[in-house]
Amino acid sequence: QKEVEQNSGPLSVPEGAIASLNCTYSDRGSQSFFWYRQYSGKSPELIMSIYSNGDKEDGRFTAQLNKASQYVSLLIRDSQPSDSATYLCAVTSGAGSYQLTFGKGTKLSVIP
Amino acid sequence: DTAVSQTPKYLVTQMGNDKSIKCEQNLGHDTMYWYKQDSKKFLKIMFSYNNKELIINETVPNRFSPKSPDKAHLNLHINSLELGDSAVYFCASSPVRGSYNEQFFGPGTRLTVL
């Protein structure tokens, strides 16, 4: 069974700090990796995608991928109270796959 | 607005009833999905259609039947509703076949079965 594991949190960080969210996955054939943000009562919103090893930066967000360790992370710099949400890690199940497997999410709370 | 839209947003019904949820996307995407998010917030794929063809059919009760009249629409019909069907159902779509499977979600339909 393909699994995506995340620490459920809550992860509390002070405003202005770096929030670090982690995700591990079980399927070595996974090729595409995504981070979604979900505010309470809202739908998941795609914030980052990463397909190759290394770092990918977009504004205050950096996604990091290490396929050898089967590990993907999301760093949020200069965290703001508006970043408080649940962050879902999602992984495509191999080449040519349509199927995303989601982790259970990490709840982030940014304290003013 | 270009988006994935769902109707209704809220659905409250009695056990045993039959109900449908509709989804439309105007993003020009080829692939559409139904997900269920339970009370513990776990998001799980139910079905996927690519150009009106069923490509993912996870283990869900056969009381759930998806229908795709065209590639912009994917509806979900649920027969004989049960208490355990209460959840938020999300429709999603993605533009590209294969690895680069960025999926975009609709606003969700909160189903409550009494």
Side-chain angles (χ1 to χ4, degrees):
Chain A
Q1 172 127 1
K2 300 179 176 75
E3 293 184 347
V4 177
E5 300 284 346
Q6 295 181 255
N7 187 325
S8 61
L11 173 66
S12 294
V13 299
E15 184 174 354
I18 296 175
S20 177
L21 303 159
N22 304 316
C23 172
T24 59
Y25 58 93
S26 63
D27 182 6
R28 283 199 170 273
S30 299
Q31 297 205 346
S32 303
F33 307 87
F34 306 93
W35 284 99
Y36 285 81
R37 178 177 62 199
Q38 187 173 24
Y39 293 113
S40 181
K42 300 295 186 182
S43 59
E45 175 193 6
L46 180 65
I47 55 171
M48 288 291 285
S49 54
I50 187 166
Y51 308 111
S52 54
N53 279 331
D55 294 0
K56 179 182 176 183
E57 188 174 316
D58 184 0
R60 296 186 296 112
F61 298 100
T62 299
Q64 299 175 317
L65 175 61
N66 184 326
K67 288 187 178 180
S69 300
Q70 295 175 242
Y71 176 91
V72 58
S73 65
L74 179 70
L75 301 177
I76 307 174
R77 288 182 301 282
D78 188 23
S79 295
Q80 301 296 310
S82 59
D83 295 326
S84 298
T86 296
Y87 289 80
L88 302 169
C89 175
V91 175
T92 305
S93 305
S97 172
Y98 293 91
Q99 188 158 342
L100 278 185
T101 300
F102 281 83
K104 294 186 177 181
T106 297
K107 187 168 185 178
L108 172 67
S109 180
V110 180
I111 313 299
Chain B
D1 281 346
T2 54
V4 182
S5 58
Q6 293 179 232
T7 54
K9 191 169 182 182
Y10 299 97
L11 188 50
V12 181
T13 188
Q14 300 286 333
M15 274 176 52
N17 284 351
D18 303 339
K19 291 292 178 186
S20 292
I21 307 172
K22 295 186 175 182
C23 178
E24 176 181 1
Q25 56 93 5
N26 61 7
L27 299 166
H29 293 171
D30 288 330
T31 310
M32 297 183 72
Y33 310 80
W34 278 113
Y35 285 87
K36 179 180 180 181
Q37 190 169 45
D38 59 24
S39 57
K40 295 183 179 177
K41 308 300 182 188
F42 185 47
L43 196 59
K44 197 165 189 309
I45 184 75
M46 298 175 70
F47 302 104
S48 177
Y49 273 74
N50 178 261
N51 271 325
K52 302 193 293 177
E53 179 188 350
L54 181 65
I55 55 170
I56 296 174
N57 186 1
E58 288 295 292
T59 306
V60 300
N62 58 15
R63 299 180 294 104
F64 290 78
S65 53
K67 281 195 172 58
S68 182
D70 55 60
K71 74 173 194 177
H73 295 85
L74 179 61
N75 303 324
L76 183 65
H77 188 75
I78 315 169
N79 288 327
S80 303
L81 278 154
E82 300 179 357
L83 293 176
D85 297 332
S86 295
V88 181
Y89 293 84
F90 288 104
C91 178
S93 69
S94 65
V96 181
R97 174 186 289 271
S99 294
Y100 304 110
N101 188 11
E102 295 185 341
Q103 295 185 17
F104 299 88
F105 283 76
T109 296
R110 182 175 293 276
L111 172 65
T112 303
V113 183
L114 304 175

